[in-house]
Amino acid sequence: MKKLVQSTFILVFMICANVIAQSSNSNIQTFELLKTIPTLKVASPDRAQLAQEDALRDKQGLLYRIGVARLTNINTANSGIWSTLQNGDRQWQLIVDAPDAEAISFLFETFKVYGGTTLRIQNMSGRDVHPIMTAADVQEHFRQNAALCYGDKLLLTLTEPLYTSPSEIYIDRIMYNYRS
């Protein structure tokens, strides 16, 4: 009985050590991959000026403001990096860094994705901060938004399956959300 308990303990220990080693190796590989993805830096607003404006807005009874727009010109041709996955799918990635923002909202002037194409927005730990966007999210007017993606540094990943029509996305504004 004692040998059975010892053998079981050793087996469980070896499995756990293997899982931890693989997980650690995966994190290192992910970190190395992130180094190759371009980063778009979004300017932080003047917080002191915003506080003054917000105090005045409150006195005037205006709508509570949580963010300010930052003009951008992001599309898959002028920003980010394209790669081809082993299965032939194409993938575009861009990191958006808005230092000290509580959240970032992405405003798409054009959002056209086709077939099984997906757009993921993740924090730097790999956690989705917005539901994955697909062709089902394309509106008749082709505008879209991904609101309140919590975090100040986020990864956009557009994945187009092999033989799918190329996507058309144009992010003309990013909302720098500075308070909730």
Side-chain angles (χ1 to χ4, degrees), residues 1 9 12 24 36-38 48 55 69 91 108 120 122 129 136 138 141 153 159 163 166-167 169:
M1 180 70 171
F9 177 75
V12 168
S24 175
T36 64
I37 300 170
Q91 190 171 74
F108 297 84
R120 294 183 78 167
Q122 300 171 293
V129 293
V138 175
H141 49 69
K153 192 171 187 181
T159 305
Y163 307 118
S167 301
I169 63 168

Side-chain angles (χ1 to χ4, degrees), residues 22-178:
Q22 288 178 3
S23 173
S24 175
N25 189 29
S26 174
N27 289 341
I28 291 169
Q29 290 173 349
T30 300
F31 180 74
E32 291 299 318
L33 289 174
L34 288 175
K35 286 182 179 180
T36 64
I37 300 170
T39 299
L40 173 75
K41 200 91 148 154
V42 177
S44 301
D46 181 338
R47 294 287 184 105
Q49 180 182 347
L50 289 177
Q52 289 176 347
E53 291 173 7
D54 289 338
L56 180 60
R57 290 173 61 91
D58 291 344
K59 286 180 186 176
Q60 295 173 340
L62 296 175
L63 189 63
Y64 184 80
R65 178 174 67 174
I66 63 169
V68 291
R70 295 296 193 222
L71 297 178
T72 62
N73 179 25
I74 300 170
N75 63 54
T76 58
N78 70 9
S79 304
I81 188 169
W82 280 101
S83 59
T84 302
L85 304 179
Q86 288 181 351
N87 65 357
D89 293 355
R90 288 175 17 101
Q91 190 171 74
W92 173 83
Q93 294 182 298
L94 175 68
I95 295 171
V96 176
D97 185 8
D100 301 319
E102 279 191 27
I104 303 170
S105 297
F106 300 92
L107 305 178
F108 297 84
E109 178 65 23
T110 306
F111 183 80
K112 297 179 186 179
V113 297
Y114 306 97
T117 297
T118 59
L119 177 67
R120 294 183 78 167
I121 304 172
Q122 300 171 293
N123 63 21
M124 300 314 288
S125 298
R127 183 173 183 215
D128 288 334
V129 293
H130 189 274
I132 295 173
M133 300 173 79
T134 68
D137 296 303
V138 175
Q139 303 284 319
E140 190 174 296
H141 49 69
F142 301 117
R143 291 188 179 102
Q144 190 52 271
N145 70 77
L148 297 175
C149 301
Y150 287 95
D152 64 353
K153 192 171 187 181
L154 304 176
L155 171 65
L156 302 174
T157 303
L158 179 75
T159 305
E160 297 176 340
L162 186 62
Y163 307 118
T164 300
S165 296
S167 301
E168 299 173 47
I169 63 168
Y170 171 52
I171 302 171
D172 67 330
R173 289 167 291 155
I174 289 177
M175 294 299 293
Y176 183 107
N177 298 293
Y178 61 94

